[in-house]
């Protein structure tokens, strides 16, 4: 069963999902919050800042993955390796709370 799941999403599809989610979350959410009081140049500057930040974050995760390929748990795995089981749990829990509190409930 596990082998079937691994073969369904290839590298290209996974890359497309990550890039689409990264760009979409910043670029499409930003105008909704800024259009009331910012001119178009301000929105373009905001898009540029979001794009640089998201691609930088993706680059950090890419470098961590390349340097430590044996860790396949993402943020939890890296925190667990550095701080132990409790530190990994706290990092994962905090990341989840940050995601939940940053998501609008509309």
């Amino acid at each position: 069963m596990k082998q079937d799941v691994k073969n369904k999403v290839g590298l290209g599809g996974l890359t497309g999902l990550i890039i689409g989610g990264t760009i979409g979350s910043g670029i499409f959410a930003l105008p909704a919050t800024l259009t009331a009081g910012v001119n178009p140049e301000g929105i373009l500057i905001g898009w540029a800042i979001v794009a640089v930040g998201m691609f930088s974050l993706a680059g950090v995760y890419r470098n961590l993955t390349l340097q430590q390929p044996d860790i396949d748990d993402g943020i939890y795995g890296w925190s667990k390796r550095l701080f132990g089981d409790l530190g990994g749990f706290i990092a994962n829990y905090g990341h989840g709370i940050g995601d939940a509190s940053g998501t609008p409930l509309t």
Side-chain angles (χ1 to χ4, degrees):
M1 181 69 179
K2 267 191 169 182
Q3 189 64 24
D4 293 337
V5 173
K6 284 185 179 181
N7 291 334
K8 288 186 179 181
V9 178
L11 179 62
L14 185 59
T15 303
L17 286 170
I18 291 171
I19 290 174
T22 301
I23 294 173
S25 66
I27 289 180
F28 295 121
L30 192 60
T33 58
L34 293 179
T35 53
V38 178
N39 59 12
E41 292 84 13
I43 292 174
L44 291 174
I45 291 170
W47 279 357
I49 292 170
V50 168
V52 168
M54 287 297 184
F55 283 117
S56 297
L57 185 62
V60 166
Y61 288 143
R62 179 184 175 274
N63 287 336
L64 282 170
T65 302
L66 291 175
Q67 291 177 5
Q68 299 175 348
D70 57 321
I71 298 176
D72 59 358
D73 295 341
I75 293 171
Y76 172 72
W78 296 316
S79 300
K80 182 179 173 184
R81 168 81 57 94
L82 186 61
F83 301 114
D85 289 334
L86 180 62
F89 172 77
I90 291 171
N92 194 30
Y93 192 74
H95 187 263
I97 288 177
D99 284 346
S101 65
T103 304
L105 300 173
T106 58

